[in-house]
Amino acid sequence: MNLSGDELWRWLRGTRWKPPKAAKADQERRETYVFALEQAEQMFRAAATVGPAAQPLLLFYGLSQAGRAVMATAPVTGDEWRLVGHGISQDPKTFAGPLAEIAVTTSREGSRGSFVRLSKALDSPLWQDSAVPLGTLWDCLPENRLSPLNAVTDERRTPLGLDERTLSGGQHPLASVDIWDFPPWVASAGSVEALKAYMKAFPGSEGFDYLWRGSSEAKEPDFSLDLDGWGGLPMHWRVPPGSDGSFEDRRTLIRAMTRPYGRSRYLVPAVGSNAKSVHPLMTWWAVLHTLSMLARYEPAQWSKHIHVDSSQQAVPLESLLEKALSTMPILLAYTLDELSGGELTSR
C-alpha cells in the first residue's frame, strides 16, 4: 500500500461500502464505522487548513473518531467495541512546567475509556497510576528522533527501524536484519557495553547477536555511521528450539519483537514499568491528547510553547503536527487491516 495521504483517505472512503466483516455483520457497528471515518477525514482535512494554535484539537478529535471506526471492526464481543470517555489524562499541575514533563496517566484495565479499550484490542499496555512524562512518549514516535523535547542524554531511547524484507529466503537458524537509527553515543562508541545498555529498553530483543569487527573476544559492533552520527548495525536472533528456520518462523520471530508502523516495522522502547511496547497508534493518541488538552485548557501556556521566537519546542511541535496529517491515514489504514486479519488489503 504505497499511497499518499489524499490517496489513502480515498482508499479508506472506498472501504465504507463494504466494511470489514465485524462491522458489516452488525448494523450499528457498520453505521459507526462509516460515519466515524467520515468525521475523522473531515477533521484531518480541517486540521490542514489551520496553524499550531488549533491543530492539536482537530488532530486529536479526528484520531478519536478514527478510533471508533477501528473498534467497530475489532474482534470483540458485546459492547466492548463502544468507546466512552478518554481513558487517559494528565496531571493539570504539570501543565505549567516544562512541556516534556507533563505527567500522563491511563485509566485502569477494564474501564470503558477509549484509550483502554483500543489498547486492549491492539495488545498495547497501559501504565495506569504510574505517570509517564510526555517527553518519553514523544520519543517513542520515529518522527521525533531528531527533535527531542528534553536535553539529549544517554538515557534517551528512540525506536529502531528495520526492514523485514531483508530477511533471506530459505531456511536458516538466524533471523538476520539490518537495524538502523542507533543514536550517536551508541554508534560512535562502538562498544558491546553501549549496545547492550541501549537494547535493554526494547522488550523481546534479548538474545541478540550482531555483525562485529576486531577480535572474536572483543566483538566490537561494526556500526555503519551516517553523516549525522546516527548508525546502523546488522543484527541476528536465533530461532526457537524446534524451529526448522523457515522464512515464516524467522519473520514471526522478528514481528514478535517489533511494532508495525505503516510500511515499516520498529523496535519500540517500553515506557514506565511495562514489559511490552506501546502500539504506535496509542502513542500518537497519548501525545495528541496531551497537546490538545494543553491547547484547550491552557491556551496561554500553549501559545508560549508554539512561539517560534522564544520557544525551543516550537519548531518540533510544528513538525510533528504537520507530519500527523500524512502519518495518521497510513497508521489508520494499516491498523484497520491489522484488526481485520488482512481483509482490507486482500481485496
Side-chain angles (χ1 to χ4, degrees), residues 17-223:
W17 77 276
K18 187 180 179 183
K21 59 184 179 183
K24 187 169 61 175
D26 180 279
Q27 184 62 24
E28 194 170 3
R29 282 200 189 200
R30 181 190 180 106
E31 290 172 354
T32 297
Y33 177 83
V34 168
F35 201 64
L37 267 186
E38 177 67 27
Q39 291 175 317
E41 181 180 353
Q42 288 195 24
M43 288 183 186
F44 273 93
R45 292 193 182 282
T49 69
V50 300
Q55 268 185 330
L57 301 169
L58 290 166
L59 289 171
F60 171 70
Y61 284 103
L63 177 56
S64 179
Q65 295 313 103
R68 283 161 170 75
V70 169
M71 283 303 293
T73 72
V76 296
T77 59
D79 71 347
E80 287 290 309
W81 65 276
R82 295 181 182 278
L83 303 184
V84 179
H86 291 304
I88 188 170
S89 61
Q90 299 77 29
D91 181 351
K93 297 190 295 293
T94 62
F95 278 151
L99 184 64
E101 296 177 17
I102 294 176
V104 184
T105 56
T106 64
S107 298
R108 292 185 171 276
E109 292 182 13
S111 77
R112 300 177 66 191
S114 300
F115 193 90
V116 175
R117 286 193 166 178
L118 193 51
S119 292
K120 181 179 179 182
L122 295 174
D123 192 26
S124 183
L126 305 172
W127 50 94
Q128 300 182 150
D129 298 329
S130 300
V132 171
L134 174 62
T136 300
L137 294 163
W138 175 277
D139 284 343
C140 288
L141 294 177
E143 287 84 355
N144 293 330
R145 176 173 64 93
L146 299 178
S147 53
L149 293 182
N150 282 321
V152 175
T153 70
D154 290 357
E155 300 301 314
R156 187 179 186 230
R157 299 291 183 270
T158 52
L160 295 169
L162 63 87
D163 187 347
E164 66 178 8
R165 291 174 299 182
T166 62
L167 281 170
S168 60
Q171 292 179 291
H172 199 281
L174 295 179
S176 302
V177 288
D178 291 342
I179 307 293
W180 60 82
D181 292 342
F182 283 97
W185 73 268
V186 177
S188 298
S191 71
V192 180
E193 291 75 17
L195 175 62
K196 288 182 176 179
Y198 196 75
M199 293 301 295
K200 284 182 179 178
F202 299 88
S205 69
E206 303 84 2
F208 62 85
D209 204 345
Y210 51 89
L211 182 66
W212 47 274
R213 66 179 186 277
S215 70
S216 58
E217 293 181 1
K219 291 188 69 174
E220 296 174 336
D222 191 15
F223 285 102

Side-chain angles (χ1 to χ4, degrees), residues 296-307:
R296 181 178 181 183
Y297 294 110
E298 299 290 343
Q301 189 72 10
W302 178 244
S303 71
K304 295 176 183 178
H305 289 306
I306 62 175
H307 195 279

Side-chain angles (χ1 to χ4, degrees), residues 1 3-13 15 33 37 40-45 47-48 59 62-63 66 70 143 261-263 281 284 288 320-337 344:
M1 193 186 296
L3 306 175
S4 67
D6 280 346
E7 289 170 333
L8 273 165
W9 280 121
R10 284 194 288 273
W11 182 84
L12 287 166
R13 287 176 69 82
T15 69
Y33 177 83
L37 267 186
E41 181 180 353
Q42 288 195 24
M43 288 183 186
F44 273 93
R45 292 193 182 282
L59 289 171
L63 177 56
V70 169
E143 287 84 355
Y261 199 81
R263 304 177 187 96
L281 190 75
W284 270 102
L288 289 178
L320 183 73
L321 295 173
E322 181 180 343
K323 288 172 181 174
L325 295 170
S326 56
T327 299
M328 284 298 99
I330 297 173
L331 278 182
L332 177 56
Y334 277 87
T335 302
L336 284 168
D337 198 53
L344 293 178

